[in-house]
Amino acid sequence: MSWLTRVNYMRYAKPFLIFSAVLMIAAIVSLATVGLKLGIDFTGGDLLDVQFEGQVPSAQVEQVAYDVLGLTPQVQQVEPKTGNPDEVTEFLIRTPEMTDDVRQRLMEGLRGIGSFTILSEDTVSATVSRELTSKALLALGIALVLQVVYIWFRFELKFGVTAVTALVHDVIVVLGLMSIFRVEVNSAFVAAMLTLLGYSLNDTIVVFDRIRENLRKRKKGEDLEALTTRSIQEVITRSLYTGVSVLFMLLALLIWGGETIRDFIMTLFLGVIAGTYSSIFVASALWFLWKRHEENNRRPGRSPKPAQA
């Protein structure tokens, strides 16, 4: 992949940003028309804590619930609260809010698997769901603001603003892709998005750190396009190898990890792709165009614009 270190990336800074803007617009259109597939953590629903006698596979419980509800619920196998783990199997089953008839049919289906006991049954109300939504948005907002402050302190304001712009790009694009692929948005999604913000920011910091280092050792007569491109060329192989390695691991989990973690892994998979792309083709491109505009305005001999009459 040595050809990656010979590409003049900043020559295509504007096309990269135009492409990114098109992606964001398409994502926003999908969110506005198709919307997100919200889980019961955001819409409200029922939570059943069920303990079976004997060893019962989670796939069997998911299939029964799917046959009754018409959708794949969240089924999580947990450590039994009572009894020997070798003799009982306990699940947390999250479903949309059920009527008495649907609940009765679900119980009958579960009895077909084996003898079980309902340890607890809770309802997630719409009020709680709205509170969870607001807290999730608040968590993302605080994360973005703190990252601006951190990068501003460590580098400069331009780096901070462009890095967070790239993170906003990642969030919007991932949300749009989840809308298109109908990936369920639940509480695990919030954890996945915060993880992705950290991953993307780390990748961006690596690029920005190299740019800052090269700015301090700037070669005589080297223009900003050459300097920024050289900085990217020095780290792009590392960024791509890291991203591809993570994607291979996530792909294995996506295929063999089971239904329970599939939506979580899908969110991470899409986010790693978006984050690796934005670190170079959004954050760096925005910083380069902003910095070049500033340098052009400071260039000696540049005549000011005539005052308007």
Side-chain angles (χ1 to χ4, degrees), residues 89-135:
T89 313
E90 187 171 336
F91 297 99
L92 293 178
I93 306 174
R94 293 177 173 85
T95 71
E97 191 170 351
M98 297 182 290
T99 63
D100 291 339
D101 178 62
V102 172
R103 185 183 183 282
Q104 184 63 31
R105 287 192 287 118
L106 178 60
M107 295 300 105
E108 291 175 358
L110 294 177
R111 289 191 191 98
I113 298 176
S115 178
F116 68 91
T117 303
I118 298 179
L119 300 181
S120 65
E121 184 173 0
D122 298 314
T123 298
V124 181
S125 66
T127 302
V128 174
S129 299
R130 284 195 297 270
E131 182 180 355
L132 179 60
T133 302
S134 63
K135 287 184 177 179

Side-chain angles (χ1 to χ4, degrees), residues 210-227:
R210 185 55 57 91
I211 292 175
R212 182 181 62 173
E213 182 180 340
N214 288 336
L215 278 171
R216 292 172 178 170
K217 304 175 182 178
R218 193 169 183 175
K219 299 177 181 178
K220 186 176 181 180
E222 184 179 33
D223 62 17
L224 191 64
E225 179 180 309
L227 183 146

Side-chain angles (χ1 to χ4, degrees), residues 40-41 46-48 69 73-76 92-96 187:
I40 67 167
D41 296 322
D46 296 328
L47 175 62
L48 302 176
L69 303 171
Q74 298 178 40
V75 177
Q76 180 182 4
L92 293 178
I93 306 174
R94 293 177 173 85
T95 71
S187 56

